[in-house]
């Protein structure tokens, strides 16, 4: 939302607000949701996913402060391009799983880490699959069921792509298991609207992935085991919009890697092999 004076904060949960970045598109939906977190009465704030390098957007985030910490869910530019500038505007360190996106002395994020900032407890969950460095942020005190800032691991509409070879299907299915275990927490995605019940969404995402995987198996049975991602996408994603065709082929590549690797003998719905 933008007023005559520029972008404005919108309420997304008891402990969070967001500013919608002006970068809509086929992959970013309405744009990037840059979140501002703080406990009631806290003078400071935490920003999650600064978004694109857009001056008005970043100044709106800085004005929501004082910003004491900046967190990043993963490396893609629609989440990180403005991080260095927001650090310059606020002096706040930037922390991400990938050290390439840490600034101002911010230490890299680690799985299971608990961060205390802006009067909040923020729990870091490593959730690779969309990318290898994807993380989610769990706010257990955000309302009766808590909330999870899901980055691009779970979107507000549709499903996410797997940025293969950096992101893999095996990792992604494991991340969905981890998120499902958090139960009915609210989902605060980086793109699209807030969703209820993380567990329900994670199950729906898994069902979709396994359905697609079976479609890929069937396509390989018809096309032959050495079929390319492009060939398979022509069958499985025949009706996909051209604007997301590359993303479809990338996700097919992840599915083919999964089927042709250690998990190749596994049928959808069966327990996955232990990760090595």
């Amino acid at each position: 939302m933008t007023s005559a004076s520029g972008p404005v904060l919108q309420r997304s949960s008891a402990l969070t607000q967001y500013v919608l970045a002006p970068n809509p598109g086929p992959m970013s939906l309405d744009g990037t949701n840059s979140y501002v977190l703080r406990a009631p009465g806290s003078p400071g704030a935490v920003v999650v996913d600064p978004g694109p390098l857009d001056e008005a957007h970043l100044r709106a985030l800085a004005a929501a402060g004082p910003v004491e910490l900046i967190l990043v869910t993963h490396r893609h530019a629609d989440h990180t391009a403005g991080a260095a500038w927001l650090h310059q505007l606020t002096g706040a360190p930037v922390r991400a799983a990938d050290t390439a996106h840490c600034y101002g002395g911010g230490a890299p994020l680690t799985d299971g880490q608990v961060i205390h900032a802006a009067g909040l407890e923020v729990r870091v969950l490593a959730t690779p699959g969309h990318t290898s460095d994807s993380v989610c942020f769990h706010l257990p005190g955000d309302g009766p069921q808590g909330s999870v800032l899901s980055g691009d691991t779970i979107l507000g509409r549709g499903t996410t792509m797997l940025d293969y070879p950096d992101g893999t299907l095996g990792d992604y299915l494991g991340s969905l298991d981890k998120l499902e275990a958090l139960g009915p927490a609210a989902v605060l995605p980086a793109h699209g609207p807030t969703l209820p019940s993380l567990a329900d969404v994670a199950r729906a995402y898994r069902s979709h992935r396994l359905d697609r995987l079976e479609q890929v198996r069937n396509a390989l049975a018809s096309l032959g085991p050495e079929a390319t991602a492009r060939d398979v996408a022509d069958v499985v994603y025949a009706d996909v919009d051209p604007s997301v065709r590359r993303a479809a082929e990338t996700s097919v590549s992840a599915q083919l890697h999964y089927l042709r690797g250690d998990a190749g003998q596994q049928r959808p719905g069966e327990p996955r092999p232990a990760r090595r």
Side-chain angles (χ1 to χ4, degrees):
M1 180 181 296
T2 303
S3 71
S5 58
V8 297
L9 285 168
Q10 301 177 69
R11 177 62 58 184
S12 42
S13 69
L15 300 180
T16 73
Q17 296 171 283
Y18 72 98
V19 178
L20 178 62
N23 61 337
M27 302 300 295
S28 56
L29 304 181
D30 304 319
T32 302
N33 297 325
S34 295
Y35 288 94
V36 177
L37 324 178
R38 58 158 51 90
S42 172
V46 176
V47 170
V48 176
D49 285 344
L53 188 59
D54 179 88
E55 181 176 3
H57 178 72
L58 295 172
R59 289 196 179 278
L61 293 172
V67 178
E68 60 183 73
L69 178 64
I70 302 164
L71 300 174
V72 169
T73 60
H74 67 289
R75 62 180 175 79
H76 284 155
D78 57 327
H79 300 253
T80 62
W85 194 6
L86 188 59
H87 163 64
Q88 293 297 321
L89 287 173
T90 64
V94 181
R95 302 187 63 184
D98 184 346
T99 57
H101 298 289
C102 295
Y103 302 97
L109 299 170
T110 59
D111 185 34
Q113 182 176 25
V114 178
I115 297 170
H116 295 279
L120 301 174
E121 178 181 294
V122 182
R123 299 178 181 175
V124 180
L125 304 172
T127 52
H130 172 65
T131 62
S132 62
D133 68 322
S134 287
V135 299
C136 294
F137 300 111
H138 181 206
L139 302 177
D142 193 11
Q145 307 296 341
S147 67
V148 173
L149 287 85
S150 59
D152 284 2
T153 298
I154 289 180
L155 303 179
R157 291 196 304 274
T159 56
T160 196
M161 69 168 286
L162 305 182
D163 197 1
Y164 180 80
D166 184 51
T168 68
L169 180 56
D171 279 343
Y172 189 68
L173 292 172
S175 293
L176 291 178
D177 289 347
K178 180 184 287 190
L179 293 175
E180 183 183 357
L182 295 177
V187 182
L188 306 179
H191 304 285
T194 300
L195 300 173
S197 186
L198 177 61
D200 289 347
V201 178
R203 283 191 289 269
Y205 263 53
R206 184 187 301 106
S207 177
H208 171 78
R209 289 291 169 187
L210 295 180
D211 285 348
R212 284 294 195 195
L213 195 64
E214 191 65 8
Q215 292 172 28
V216 171
R217 287 184 194 270
N218 292 336
L220 288 176
S222 173
L223 297 170
E226 302 305 316
T228 67
R230 175 176 293 183
D231 294 336
V232 173
D234 285 341
V235 175
V236 175
Y237 292 93
D239 58 350
V240 74
D241 190 281
S243 64
V244 294
R245 169 68 191 214
R246 187 193 68 81
E249 289 188 20
T250 302
S251 287
V252 168
S253 295
Q255 292 160 335
L256 292 175
H257 171 264
Y258 183 81
L259 292 173
R260 291 166 174 167
D262 290 342
Q265 300 305 311
Q266 174 204 349
R267 302 298 297 180
E270 296 175 352
R272 283 182 292 282
R275 291 193 58 76
R276 295 200 290 260

